[in-house]
Amino acid sequence: MSGRKKKKITKAERLKQLQEEEERRLKEEEEARAKYEKEEMEKLEIQRIEKEKWQQLEAKALERRNEELEELYLLEGCFPEAEKLKQHIRLVSQWKHYIECDGSPDPSVSQEINTFISLWKEETNETFEEVIAKSKLVLHLIEKLKLILLEIPSYDLQDKNIIQYHGSILELQELLHFKFNMATEILLREASTIADLDSGNMEKVIQDENVTLYVWANLKKNPRYRSVRFSETQIGFEIPRILATSDIALRLLHTHYDHVTPLRTVPTLLQKHSSAITHLVKDEVKNVEAALSKEFQEEYKPGKSESHSIHEEEIKDEEQVDIEVPTSFVQEESEATKYELEKKLLSETVSAAQLLLIENAPEKPHLLEDSEVDMCQFTALGGVYHLDILELPPQCKPVKGWMIMEILKEGLQKYIYPPVTKEDFEKESAFPPIGVMLEAHENVIFFEDPMVARWDAEGKHWKTDGISNVFYRSEERLISFSMESLGPVTLIQDTHIHMPYQSWELRPLDVNKVLLTVTTVFTEIQIQIKEDLCLLASVKLNNKKHSSILEGKWMTPISFIIALKETGLNIFPTEHSHFYVAINYKIPLVEMKAYRQMALLGSAFAFGWSKWNIECDSKKVIFKVREHLTKEEEPIQNPNWALLMFSGDRAQRLKIDEYSEAFSEALKEETEFHSTLYHMVKDFASEEAMEKIRSSNCQFLDSVCHMLLSIRLLSYS
């Protein structure tokens, strides 16, 4: 038992053991400290080297900054050049219209449009078909005036011209609707002569590309005939008994355009900006002319030591010769300077106009009333349905081979339902709502069930009250609802239903031709841009191709944007959109510079959405880029993208890629800073790519830039 007992450690041995442990601990601590100091020294050295390298790169970038910006200025000369071409095209178009003498007025000339309006007002007894035929020209004139207001930069539009064009548009719209009312009255006077043999009531449907008329006259006043359907369709009305026994007519006039929603005003901010620049340029030209004149007069001033032996006439002749040469030279110099300054003026005003496209409004336009539709948040689609209950005019009567017709002085009158005073009726239920069944326009895509809004003529806005039991059958494109009283209605959809976008890509197809793809929650939209025209290449809904009336139609950028909005494919934010969409805010100037330079590189480089764009601050944008010289329309599988970060005055290639785990602004190895995207991609671009960029057409570059500015991919993705 005693052998199994542990041997006791003496006090000396325990002290020795503790001393050894302490020495070992101190040694380990010393080694750890030394290791830490070494690592810190190495880290500091790496940071010093990195900082030194960074400073060298910054110094190098600063050294060549002016040279790069000068080269960029020359390349961006395409934008003012494109504006000059557009001005020339507008002048040629005006001249062409003038020499054609086809009888149609120039809507921009007030005398011509006023004469046209006056002459048409004098024409009477036009049938509905005749008014429809004339309406094609009227609608063309209205669209032309709207395009003038949108296409001509605001710095080229005077306030009086804007007022004139707005006034002409409103007059044409009002006159067209007045003519439709007059034609309806003529049609209803003859209702008894074209009555249906079975029902005894008159029904008429007139269809056209811009207008569809459904009209029903209650000639028999049968109280059991309360369901009105047009031409074996489901479009029509459910009317209460009181209307079924009244001398009324029901009209559904579907105008495929919207002449009810008030026109938007043209921004005047740019006019002030342009005016200020113009005054600065004029002052600068005068200063330069004065300085040059003074300089040359002093240089060529006759010396006081000239010999007095020369005759006075010879002195005068010599002075005249001496001064004539520099004066002409001064004129040439001042003309050249004036040209350069005017070029600078145009360049600055074009830049200001582009910046205005992406400026965010500081506040919402106005406070809304109860049930008022916010037209910054919603868009009316598919035109306007004018729903009317009309008093049936006296019917024409055949007498001895003649048709006798009583024409009322007050013309076509609306039947008031429900009446203003209900004293004669015991119950309010005597005036139940009227049921309405409409068909949505076939060219419009609704991505959600549309809302129905009615026009409030007094408040001059759309409202949603007074409408109930709304039901939409998407397969048949039919919408039914009940209204307390009839009037103009429209179908509305959220303006920002496609925002923010999920991804995007800009890819070259050839020189002066690109494909822009925008993917949203509901659809994928592909747009081709070629020279100064745009084309809807394809629309996909739920990964299936959807046929659109716009496919195959080349249009100018502004006409194309309007057409796309009207079909429900709205990917064009307004200055108020940031109030309704969660956006990735970027400083407008940075965004504008990015779009301009992306457009410059569009013929040879593809650009794409990056998830890291949301990680950087508002002063920077991040996107993918790669050289793309093939002409295939199908995207390349697993392309090798570079990731660029741009702040408006500095471009750099990032070390991270799309699949990195964390965001970092670290510079990719063996790359440098540049002041422009052009010089950044030049570092890794082929000569063929740079040649394509240099040979790009200015109208094409301007169109690509305009589309990028209008869609705002970097802020709304």
Side-chain angles (χ1 to χ4, degrees), residues 239-424:
I239 58 175
R241 182 185 178 89
I242 190 169
L243 291 179
T245 56
S246 301
D247 281 323
I248 60 154
L250 295 173
R251 181 180 71 170
L252 194 169
L253 176 62
H254 180 199
T255 58
H256 303 169
Y257 48 82
D258 180 4
H259 285 176
V260 176
T261 306
L263 296 169
R264 296 189 71 178
T265 55
V266 177
T268 55
L269 177 68
L270 197 57
Q271 293 174 336
K272 295 172 185 175
H273 175 86
S274 173
S275 177
I277 295 174
T278 307
H279 288 308
L280 284 172
V281 169
K282 284 179 179 177
D283 292 343
E284 202 169 335
V285 169
K286 285 178 184 176
N287 292 340
V288 169
E289 285 178 350
L292 285 168
S293 180
K294 187 177 179 182
E295 182 185 333
F296 282 104
Q297 281 177 12
E298 286 179 0
E299 189 176 335
Y300 289 89
K301 194 175 181 181
K304 291 180 183 178
S305 58
E306 248 182 309
S307 173
H308 292 284
S309 61
I310 302 170
H311 296 294
E312 194 176 331
E313 288 179 10
E314 289 177 1
I315 293 171
K316 282 181 181 177
D317 288 341
E318 283 182 17
E319 283 179 2
Q320 193 174 352
V321 171
D322 283 345
I323 287 170
E324 274 176 6
V325 175
T327 303
S328 63
F329 187 73
V330 167
Q331 287 174 348
E332 287 175 13
E333 282 290 305
S334 63
E335 283 298 318
T337 307
K338 191 176 179 181
Y339 171 77
E340 283 300 317
L341 289 171
E342 284 175 352
K343 185 181 174 183
K344 186 181 178 184
L345 163 66
L346 184 58
S347 180
E348 287 191 21
T349 47
V350 167
S351 295
Q354 290 175 338
L355 188 59
L356 198 64
L357 284 174
I358 56 174
E359 286 281 5
N360 293 328
E363 56 186 20
K364 289 186 181 182
H366 58 85
L367 294 171
L368 302 176
E369 293 181 11
D370 290 340
S371 306
E372 181 184 346
V373 177
D374 185 350
M375 294 311 288
C376 292
Q377 185 178 3
F378 295 95
T379 302
L381 293 174
V384 176
Y385 301 84
H386 297 267
L387 311 176
D388 298 296
I389 308 172
L390 305 169
E391 291 183 3
L392 197 61
Q395 297 299 294
C396 58
K397 297 174 183 178
V399 178
K400 296 181 182 181
W402 293 81
M403 294 295 288
I404 296 176
M405 190 180 293
E406 181 185 351
I407 300 174
L408 300 176
K409 187 179 180 182
E410 57 270 18
L412 190 66
Q413 294 294 302
K414 287 190 177 183
Y415 183 92
I416 307 301
Y417 179 89
V420 179
T421 57
K422 303 178 183 178
E423 294 172 1
D424 299 337

Side-chain angles (χ1 to χ4, degrees), residues 115-161:
T115 302
F116 172 81
I117 289 169
S118 299
L119 290 173
W120 198 27
K121 277 181 180 176
E122 291 172 6
E123 293 180 28
T124 55
N125 298 325
E126 292 171 288
T127 64
F128 215 93
E129 288 80 3
E130 287 172 337
V131 174
I132 283 176
K134 192 69 171 277
S135 72
K136 296 185 192 310
L137 173 59
V138 175
L139 291 172
H140 172 70
L141 296 173
I142 290 169
E143 290 308 309
K144 207 168 177 181
L145 283 167
K146 286 181 178 178
L147 277 176
I148 288 171
L149 288 168
L150 289 169
E151 287 184 340
I152 297 179
S154 52
Y155 53 81
D156 275 349
L157 278 172
Q158 295 182 5
D159 287 342
K160 65 176 184 179
N161 295 126

Side-chain angles (χ1 to χ4, degrees), residues 115 158 193 204 243 423 449 463 582 605 634 638 692 708:
T115 302
Q158 295 182 5
T193 63
K204 183 82 172 176
L243 291 179
E423 294 172 1
D449 289 357
K463 299 187 80 172
F605 284 86
E634 290 300 317
N638 302 317
K692 275 193 171 187
L708 293 175

Side-chain angles (χ1 to χ4, degrees), residues 47-63:
Q47 286 178 351
R48 187 191 65 77
I49 292 167
E50 286 292 325
K51 189 177 179 182
E52 194 176 303
K53 186 181 175 183
W54 190 275
Q55 287 173 343
Q56 287 173 354
L57 289 172
E58 283 188 327
K60 192 174 180 182
L62 190 63
E63 190 179 320

Side-chain angles (χ1 to χ4, degrees), residues 17-73:
Q17 190 178 358
L18 289 171
Q19 191 176 356
E20 285 173 356
E21 285 177 2
E22 180 65 18
E23 286 174 358
R24 189 164 57 249
R25 187 182 65 77
L26 290 171
K27 186 180 179 183
E28 285 174 357
E29 283 182 0
E30 181 61 29
E31 286 175 355
R33 188 183 61 78
K35 186 182 177 183
Y36 174 76
E37 286 180 355
K38 186 182 178 185
E39 285 176 354
E40 281 297 305
M41 289 293 288
E42 287 173 355
K43 192 177 176 182
L44 287 169
E45 182 62 18
I46 290 167
Q47 286 178 351
R48 187 191 65 77
I49 292 167
E50 286 292 325
K51 189 177 179 182
E52 194 176 303
K53 186 181 175 183
W54 190 275
Q55 287 173 343
Q56 287 173 354
L57 289 172
E58 283 188 327
K60 192 174 180 182
L62 190 63
E63 190 179 320
R64 62 189 173 203
R65 177 174 170 76
N66 288 339
E67 185 185 335
E68 288 183 349
L69 291 177
E70 282 174 16
E71 192 172 355
L72 178 68
Y73 177 75

